Amino acid sequence: MVSGVALAVGLGALAFASQASATDTNPTSPDILLKSATMVTTYTANVGTNASNQVDAYSNGVTFSYQNSNALGQPIGGTSATVYTLYGFCVDITHDMFINTPLGYTYADTYTPVTGPIGDPLPTDLDSPTAHPISPAQLTSLTKLIDTGWLLHEGETGQNQAYINNANLQLAAIQAAIWKVEGGFVTLNNQYAVAGANVGGAITGAAPVDTVNDPSGQWTYLDYFNAYSTGAFTNLGDDNDSFYTIQEVLPTQGGNQAFAIGWPLPGVPEPATWAMMLVGFGGLGAMLRLRRRRVALTA
């Protein structure tokens, strides 16, 4: 989780082998030093391993800044080393990350510049103290959510505020869906929140009819969550796509969360192309769970 904002579960981001716009797609080191993190904190959810073990968390994708480093967390090239960014989704339900201060966390990734993602990117749900295997069906569902969410995020570039607001609602729903597919127990806060028209993404058609809670007929946070968590959306990536993960190297840093970084294979349209294509699709979203800090008030 994150202090002030707590991140739980994975970070998802898609990286293109041929370009490194907002995402460094070709790390030269197996280890990276996370420096800072930002995210949209409009939407929240309660996430845990069961109904009695949930925490209140922000839900959306997270953007990290980082430098390539050695296993001790020392930037390769010193303090002036190049700073990259990654956008991803949390895939770790039981750990926290605190992002209200500079991070300074050392992570390793399951990626190489030559071959891309290595093997099975997420063999377990990283649950503590007992990790549970991720099934092939779960892995397929998670890959579609992570890659579609990243493409939706990339498609926000150059769009108006109404489009971005709706995309952020969908991304919040995607992160929550990632937690649920992974086996988490998820309940949404402000589940009937809306952000205007469904202007892009991977969901088509009219919003489910709910004249009591949503008489406006717009897609709600809950509507998007139900669609993404059940697979009722169009994958914006490719069935052959994958993702890789970043996980903490030094346990003395506090047991921070692991994140998933999307990896679309060659042949997937460039982000600029998706920005145009998304206008013809329905909504899609990704959530990142962030536990909100409880502030004690004195009389």
Side-chain angles (χ1 to χ4, degrees):
M1 303 294 171
V2 182
S3 175
V5 175
L7 303 173
V9 186
L11 249 195
L14 301 184
F16 287 88
S18 60
Q19 75 174 56
S21 53
T23 301
D24 172 38
T25 62
N26 192 25
T28 58
S29 166
D31 297 312
I32 59 177
L33 176 65
L34 299 183
K35 297 177 66 64
S36 65
T38 60
M39 68 178 298
V40 174
T41 59
T42 305
Y43 306 101
T44 63
N46 291 296
V47 185
T49 55
N50 54 60
S52 61
N53 182 26
Q54 292 181 289
V55 295
D56 192 15
Y58 294 124
S59 182
N60 219 294
V62 178
T63 298
F64 288 108
S65 66
Y66 76 94
Q67 294 170 311
N68 290 325
S69 74
N70 59 27
L72 298 178
Q74 300 165 331
I76 296 176
T79 57
S80 61
T82 301
V83 176
Y84 302 98
T85 59
L86 284 174
Y87 177 83
F89 298 97
C90 184
V91 287
D92 185 341
I93 295 172
T94 58
H95 294 95
D96 294 342
M97 175 179 283
F98 295 86
I99 60 172
N100 61 331
T101 58
L103 300 183
Y105 301 141
T106 305
Y107 273 58
D109 60 54
T110 56
Y111 166 93
T112 65
V114 176
T115 62
I118 300 172
D120 185 344
L122 193 65
T124 75
D125 63 0
L126 303 172
D127 196 355
S128 178
T130 303
H132 307 91
I134 294 293
S135 70
Q138 285 176 297
L139 187 61
T140 296
S141 297
L142 289 169
T143 301
K144 291 178 179 179
L145 286 167
I146 292 164
D147 287 0
T148 298
W150 187 87
L151 287 166
L152 179 63
H153 169 72
E154 288 292 286
E156 293 179 298
T157 302
Q159 299 293 336
N160 60 33
Q161 193 59 51
Y163 184 102
I164 293 172
N165 290 344
N166 183 260
N168 285 333
L169 175 59
Q170 296 178 57
L171 290 170
I174 287 177
Q175 175 63 72
I178 288 172
W179 288 323
K180 183 173 182 178
V181 169
E182 196 178 5
F185 194 92
V186 181
T187 54
L188 306 181
N189 298 316
N190 303 316
Q191 59 184 353
Y192 299 113
V194 297
N198 181 333
V199 294
I203 297 176
T204 58
V209 176
D210 185 350
T211 57
V212 175
N213 299 299
D214 180 29
S216 68
Q218 298 182 41
W219 281 85
T220 67
Y221 185 12
L222 179 62
D223 293 335
Y224 284 127
F225 170 71
N226 288 336
Y228 291 125
S229 61
T230 60
F233 67 96
T234 300
N235 180 19
L236 294 186
D238 183 275
D239 288 341
N240 294 318
D241 289 348
S242 183
F243 65 89
Y244 65 94
T245 58
I246 58 173
Q247 299 183 38
E248 190 174 40
V249 172
L250 303 177
T252 56
Q253 294 178 334
N256 291 298
Q257 298 162 325
F259 298 91
I261 313 301
W263 184 257
L265 297 176
V268 175
E270 294 290 325
T273 302
W274 273 112
M276 295 182 289
M277 295 176 65
L278 285 173
V279 177
F281 290 96
L284 164 69
M287 266 189 221
L288 171 66
R289 169 190 167 191
L290 292 184
R291 187 175 63 190
R292 295 181 293 180
R293 170 184 250 168
R294 289 178 171 79
V295 180
L297 300 178
T298 58

